Amino acid sequence: MTKLFIAQVRDSDGPKPLVTVRAEAEGEARLFLAAQYPEAEIESVVEPSDWASDADTGSKAGDIREHPGVEWQPPSSLAD
């Protein structure tokens, strides 16, 4: 079963909008992203915790979607 990951991707033009990818694990998500963006730097890949969106984030392994107008924000930790 796939999980949703959010990624911070930067290419020569600067940071891309928020990117989501469906994968079974973070390592697999990084492989899908590297194949989609071979010239870019994958700066971070995390599970989104409580992030919610009404945008289509795909459902199959390898589904990668860019979300224009949504900027990367690191997940917040609720632990003190």
Side-chain angles (χ1 to χ4, degrees):
M1 175 172 227
T2 63
K3 297 187 275 186
L4 181 67
F5 292 88
I6 57 175
Q8 182 179 20
V9 179
R10 179 181 300 274
D11 64 15
S12 60
D13 295 329
K16 292 205 161 289
L18 182 79
V19 175
T20 57
V21 58
R22 291 279 178 180
E24 290 188 19
E26 180 185 337
E28 183 180 54
R30 286 184 176 277
L31 289 173
F32 289 139
L33 291 164
Q36 178 75 23
Y37 303 106
E39 301 297 319
E41 179 181 354
I42 311 304
E43 294 184 339
S44 187
V45 176
V46 298
E47 289 186 60
S49 62
D50 62 354
W51 180 77
S53 173
D54 59 0
D56 183 8
T57 57
S59 59
K60 297 182 215 166
D63 279 347
I64 296 175
R65 310 289 166 97
E66 290 186 16
H67 301 272
V70 180
E71 293 183 21
W72 166 264
Q73 292 181 332
S76 63
S77 173
L78 300 177
D80 287 66

